[in-house]
Amino acid sequence: MKIRRVLATAVALAVTTPAALLSVSPAYADTKPAAQTQDQQKSKPTIKELEEAAAEAQKAYDKAAEAEAAGRIELEKTLDDLSEVSGTHPLAVASAAADRAAKDAAAAQTTADQAVTDAKAALDALTEDATEEERTAAETALSEAEATATTAATAKTAADTAAAEAREKLDDARVAAVRAYGVLQNAAEEALAVKVAADAALAKAIKEAEEAGEGEEGGACEPELDLTSKVTGLPDKLVAGTSTDFSLRVTNGSDRHMDEVLAFVSVHATDRSGLKDTGKFFRLQWSTKSAPKWQNADSDEYIDGVGALKPGAHADVKLRLTLDKATPAGNGVAFFAADFFNEDGSCGGAPDLDMYEFDVKAAGSKPGKTEDAKPSKTTKPGNTGTTPQGSVSATPVTTGTNGSLAATGSSSATTPIALAGGAAVLLGAAAVFVVRRRKTGADA
């Protein structure tokens, strides 16, 4: 028997509203979400509908990515045109001319001020033997020099003002160009998130259809709110090139005996742009009282070693998260939960994942003041409200046999997270897909 837990706050959007994919700048797209009735929102989509939604999401992402690439080229061209040194844009030409005029006005004022100084010196140099005509001529020269200096000072002030205004207009044009590109960039990120959501929803539906015949012995797995997992010691800041030890306590707060309990752990991270998956730089290990030697987390993201739990009992899992020195600075998130499997075929687990956000600092950085990361809940679509509804954003990851983290759950071979700027953005954008699966094999 297998359990696949797909938590996707934005899956509901991709599933029930296939047209709600993207609305970028008018120059590139005009797609708008379609209105949905309550019956449409509640009905479970077919695989064909999910395939159509995934195809539409792919088209929207391709369109947005193409627009973003074209926008980047246009931005670079615009910034070159707005260069005061070599730019050909009218604002750049005007700003350069205003700067030259200001410099010429400053030079003219300097010359005029020197003429005043020279005229004063010439007047002061006259002796008592100087004629009336000589004295009158010197006084006239000083008066004319002072008038010229006053005019030059006024001209310089006006030229400086004109140059400042021209530079401000040029700077405003540069800011506007960058902001216009930012709209396209954000649209591409959002489109990617919806694409990932649609792909994961389709993969989930196909897998569930394949597994529809499994688990007849004990029936469907059921939610168990009293099977909890609590993390302690995971800081909200991690530094590349270091290892962090923390712990996970799994508690059976129910009145039933659980024959086998598995802890679920999933870690994912991106660089600061939110576009580059940095999971390959992470290594997750675990140990328990029954398995004290450090072991790499396996490809199913489940941790063996908890064993059976009596009602009210708990078990502790030691965890170690190691970041390679090459890990880029960025943002990360860790998910934790637990599931149980009984010999009679019954099974279940916590319907939600506990989610912990953390920042990733570059190697050699000082983490500064740190606190334990605080958990929040994520809930799969269709939750009836017994637990808080979450809103998170990430791509599905699994821990490989070598302890590295790799993306899964999408039809694309490479699915970077469409996230940007901080953990709040990382976890609050369009989609999260975390696949929880019980391992297949003899221990299944």
Side-chain angles (χ1 to χ4, degrees), residues 413-429:
T414 56
T415 53
I417 301 183
L419 313 168
V425 174
L426 171 66
L427 302 173

Side-chain angles (χ1 to χ4, degrees), residues 371-387:
E371 298 180 356
D372 280 1
K374 300 297 189 295
S376 58
K377 296 286 187 183
T378 66
T379 309
K380 60 185 177 183
N383 190 299
T384 58
T386 56
T387 54

Side-chain angles (χ1 to χ4, degrees), residues 54-423:
E56 189 173 354
Q58 180 68 55
K59 290 179 182 178
Y61 170 65
D62 291 342
K63 187 175 182 180
E66 181 180 352
E68 189 271 339
R72 188 186 310 114
I73 295 174
E74 184 64 25
L75 173 63
E76 293 173 354
K77 180 179 180 298
T78 300
L79 293 180
D80 286 341
D81 288 345
L82 291 173
S83 171
E84 289 181 287
V85 177
S86 59
T88 59
H89 193 283
L91 290 177
V93 173
S95 180
D99 282 342
R100 289 194 297 271
K103 291 178 182 178
D104 292 343
Q109 183 182 17
T110 299
T111 300
D113 289 343
Q114 185 60 49
V116 171
T117 300
D118 294 342
K120 287 182 178 179
L123 180 61
D124 293 341
L126 292 177
T127 63
E128 295 180 357
D129 297 333
T131 65
E132 186 65 27
E133 291 79 3
E134 290 174 336
R135 186 170 296 278
T136 298
E139 290 174 347
T140 299
L142 175 59
S143 178
E144 291 176 348
E146 289 175 338
T148 300
T150 300
T151 300
T154 301
K156 180 181 181 301
T157 299
D160 288 342
T161 300
E165 292 175 350
R167 281 194 297 272
E168 184 176 1
K169 291 180 179 179
L170 187 61
D171 290 340
D172 288 345
R174 290 169 178 156
V175 171
V178 172
R179 286 177 176 172
Y181 170 67
V183 171
L184 299 177
Q185 192 175 40
N186 290 338
E189 293 172 358
E190 293 170 2
L192 176 59
V194 176
K195 171 191 172 303
V196 172
D199 289 342
L202 176 59
K204 172 181 179 288
I206 292 174
K207 189 63 178 179
E208 286 181 346
E210 293 173 351
E211 298 176 352
E214 298 183 11
E216 289 85 344
E217 263 187 18
C221 292
E222 60 188 57
E224 180 49 78
L225 300 178
D226 292 325
L227 180 59
T228 60
S229 53
K230 182 179 179 181
V231 173
T232 56
L234 176 62
D236 58 2
K237 299 181 184 66
L238 301 178
V239 178
T242 65
S243 293
T244 299
D245 289 352
F246 57 105
S247 63
L248 172 69
R249 171 163 289 187
V250 180
T251 302
N252 177 10
S254 73
D255 57 1
R256 76 170 85 187
H257 184 278
M258 298 179 181
D259 296 333
E260 181 185 13
V261 175
L262 299 179
F264 171 83
V265 181
S266 179
V267 181
H268 193 52
T270 69
D271 64 358
R272 285 174 176 166
S273 73
L275 298 175
K276 182 179 179 181
D277 187 337
T278 58
K280 66 180 181 179
F281 298 104
F282 286 67
R283 182 187 183 200
L284 180 66
Q285 296 174 292
W286 63 272
S287 70
T288 63
K289 184 177 181 180
S290 61
K293 184 178 180 180
W294 285 108
Q295 302 182 48
N296 292 333
D298 64 27
S299 59
D300 292 305
E301 298 177 307
Y302 272 104
I303 293 176
D304 298 321
V306 175
L309 284 181
K310 298 178 181 179
H314 68 263
D316 293 322
V317 180
K318 295 180 180 179
L319 294 167
R320 174 173 292 171
L321 186 59
T322 301
L323 280 63
D324 189 273
K325 287 184 179 180
T327 307
N331 310 292
V333 60
F335 297 96
F336 300 90
D339 294 311
F340 74 89
F341 305 89
N342 290 334
E343 293 179 358
D344 62 4
S346 61
C347 57
D352 302 310
L353 294 175
D354 287 326
M355 179 182 68
Y356 294 75
E357 306 171 36
F358 58 86
D359 294 333
V360 178
K361 305 291 185 180
S365 301
K366 299 296 184 182
K369 183 180 180 180
T370 62
E371 298 180 356
D372 280 1
K374 300 297 189 295
S376 58
K377 296 286 187 183
T378 66
T379 309
K380 60 185 177 183
N383 190 299
T384 58
T386 56
T387 54
Q389 181 72 25
S391 177
V392 296
S393 175
T395 51
V397 297
T398 60
T399 52
T401 54
N402 62 353
S404 64
L405 302 177
T408 65
S410 170
S411 62
S412 172
T414 56
T415 53
I417 301 183
L419 313 168

